[in-house]
Amino acid sequence: MRRRVHPHTRARGTAAGALLAALLLVASPTGTHGAAATAGEVDGGAAGTRAAGRTGVVTESYDLGDTAFTHPASGTVSEIRAVVHRPSRVRGKLPLVVLSHGAWYACTDPEAQAWPCDRGRPYPSHRGYDYLGRALAARGFAVVSLSADGINMTSFDYGDRAGLVNEHLRLLSQLSSGGGVLARRLPALRGHLDMRRVGTVGHSRGGKGVMWQASDKHRAEAPDGVRVKAVLALAPVKFDWPDGDNSDALVTRSSVAVVTSGCDGAVEEAGQEYLDDVEGRTREPAYSVSLRDGNHNFYNTQWTPPAQLGEDDSTCPDRGLRPAPQQNALTAYATAFFDKQLKGDATNEGLLTGERALPGVTSKTRTVRPVDGH
């Protein structure tokens, strides 16, 4: 087991730059909440993706309503709503990545007080990662970004966030078996999801939510036949309750990646402590990236100005990253992580270990090796 810290102060080597250039053909984040493909539409970046040897991307959605799910333990009521990015040509079983956003306005009217929204409409936080979903889909992943507005209005319980992820996984598992309520909504994915190769991404409170869902303590609550192999906690909250008991979010049997930002005005870089927790205990590799000048909100385009309720929460606005390079960096790191853990492709693992720098950003990386040394 080794711990390695690498400051990235300049671009060195061409492989990382080539990966980033290929991803930008697909993701093309603008730093705003630019137009996303509508349900069933082939993404506009598909031509560039094909030129890079990848597939085109289709964006679809499913919506079972604002009160479709009631958590069996807590009673919290939430929506079942998600946007789905997939390759335009679906062949074989696709690895699956599920994204969960964090705490934000539940409704477009900030004065709303009830769920379903008594004012305005559900806020589209789950559409804030479309750039990442499109880039991953172009590389052969199915990507589902779920809405958690009901939880944001009524609950701060991380078990609720984990439970909502599990409910989506249950529905997607049914789809992977050829049936269920999503079969008519996502016919191209019917029978084509590999539920043994699942990754999750959680932002902010969603970050602790996905750590909770995959934790050694709670992993048995996942639907039968589902294996979460890789968990990416993005600018996650980190605190233990009761103080000193980290068991609810201790993940040692899935690979973990943590991405934090040095100018994060919401949670700072507390998420780096997740790697401290697994040091000397994890059975799978764990990685962290600290993006020096990134902030909390720019990872989600719906939380980024000029989005309707967007805010710049940077603690260093004089040198902070603009939205596009911050989103590009996340795309490159997340792609390297899921390529390695869900597809066995270690081509770009050097971005995570610090052996390669990513052009245009300054970051530090850390690696925790499994206890068996693999």
Side-chain angles (χ1 to χ4, degrees), residues 31-89:
T32 68
H33 59 301
T38 58
E41 181 182 346
V42 177
D43 185 89
T49 308
R50 284 193 293 272
R54 304 297 180 181
T55 66
V57 174
V58 171
T59 297
E60 301 173 307
S61 64
Y62 59 90
D63 188 344
L64 306 185
D66 288 340
T67 59
F69 178 60
T70 300
H71 193 288
S74 68
T76 297
V77 174
S78 55
E79 71 274 30
I80 296 293
R81 179 175 298 124
V83 62
V84 180
H85 306 282
R86 62 166 176 84
S88 57
R89 295 182 180 179

Side-chain angles (χ1 to χ4, degrees), residues 272-294:
Q272 292 289 333
E273 295 174 15
Y274 283 117
L275 258 68
D276 297 333
D277 290 348
V278 302
E279 185 89 50
R281 305 177 69 174
T282 185
R283 304 180 192 179
E284 301 292 340
Y287 312 90
S288 75
V289 175
S290 170
L291 197 61
R292 189 187 71 178
D293 297 329

Side-chain angles (χ1 to χ4, degrees), residues 141-184:
F141 295 89
V143 183
V144 176
S145 181
L146 62 91
S147 176
D149 288 331
I151 290 174
N152 282 346
M153 178 63 77
T154 64
S155 170
F156 283 95
D157 188 271
Y158 296 100
D160 283 342
R161 294 184 184 276
L164 184 59
V165 170
N166 280 332
E167 178 64 7
H168 281 266
L169 288 173
R170 184 184 71 83
L171 296 172
L172 293 164
S173 184
Q174 292 177 347
L175 180 65
S176 75
S177 297
V181 297
L182 301 184
R184 281 198 238 173

Side-chain angles (χ1 to χ4, degrees), residues 40-351:
E41 181 182 346
V42 177
D43 185 89
T49 308
R50 284 193 293 272
R54 304 297 180 181
T55 66
V57 174
V58 171
T59 297
E60 301 173 307
S61 64
Y62 59 90
D63 188 344
L64 306 185
D66 288 340
T67 59
F69 178 60
T70 300
H71 193 288
S74 68
T76 297
V77 174
S78 55
E79 71 274 30
I80 296 293
R81 179 175 298 124
V83 62
V84 180
H85 306 282
R86 62 166 176 84
S88 57
R89 295 182 180 179
V90 178
R91 298 173 181 172
K93 293 278 190 177
L94 305 181
L96 171 67
V97 176
V98 175
L99 288 81
S100 178
H101 65 81
W104 198 249
Y105 297 96
C107 306
T108 55
D109 187 331
E111 300 302 317
Q113 298 294 318
W115 183 259
C117 294
D118 55 344
R119 294 185 175 190
R121 303 177 307 282
Y123 197 79
S125 289
H126 66 301
R127 298 305 306 266
Y129 314 100
D130 282 357
Y131 66 95
L132 177 59
R134 291 194 297 266
L136 289 171
R139 298 178 72 83
F141 295 89
V143 183
V144 176
S145 181
L146 62 91
S147 176
D149 288 331
I151 290 174
N152 282 346
M153 178 63 77
T154 64
S155 170
F156 283 95
D157 188 271
Y158 296 100
D160 283 342
R161 294 184 184 276
L164 184 59
V165 170
N166 280 332
E167 178 64 7
H168 281 266
L169 288 173
R170 184 184 71 83
L171 296 172
L172 293 164
S173 184
Q174 292 177 347
L175 180 65
S176 75
S177 297
V181 297
L182 301 184
R184 281 198 238 173
R185 294 168 172 84
L186 303 172
L189 291 176
R190 189 172 180 176
H192 287 288
L193 297 177
D194 188 343
M195 304 306 293
R196 305 295 294 175
R197 290 189 293 158
V198 176
T200 56
V201 180
H203 185 190
S204 193
R205 289 184 179 270
K208 184 170 180 177
V210 295
M211 292 293 287
W212 184 297
Q213 188 273 338
S215 69
D216 302 353
K217 180 177 179 179
H218 298 292
R219 61 187 288 123
E221 298 165 18
D224 291 342
V226 173
R227 183 183 177 194
V228 175
K229 296 185 66 177
V231 184
L232 195 162
L234 174 62
V237 299
K238 177 66 166 81
F239 55 85
D240 302 324
W241 185 259
D243 188 32
D245 179 3
N246 64 11
S247 62
D248 278 324
L250 177 65
V251 179
T252 70
R253 288 187 276 177
S254 300
S255 187
V256 169
V258 176
V259 177
T260 62
S261 294
C263 298
D264 188 322
V267 300
E268 299 181 335
E269 296 198 84
Q272 292 289 333
E273 295 174 15
Y274 283 117
L275 258 68
D276 297 333
D277 290 348
V278 302
E279 185 89 50
R281 305 177 69 174
T282 185
R283 304 180 192 179
E284 301 292 340
Y287 312 90
S288 75
V289 175
S290 170
L291 197 61
R292 189 187 71 178
D293 297 329
N295 72 15
H296 191 79
N297 290 347
F298 285 1
Y299 292 116
N300 186 311
T301 62
Q302 296 293 340
W303 300 359
T304 301
Q308 180 181 358
L309 298 175
E311 300 174 6
D312 181 348
D313 75 331
S314 177
T315 59
C316 54
D318 56 325
R319 71 166 197 270
L321 284 175
R322 299 306 302 152
Q326 183 168 325
Q327 293 156 19
N328 295 342
L330 171 63
T331 300
Y333 291 126
T335 299
F337 179 58
F338 290 122
D339 274 355
K340 173 64 166 61
Q341 301 305 322
L342 300 186
K343 295 169 66 177
D345 180 356
T347 302
N348 294 297
E349 187 185 15
L351 291 177

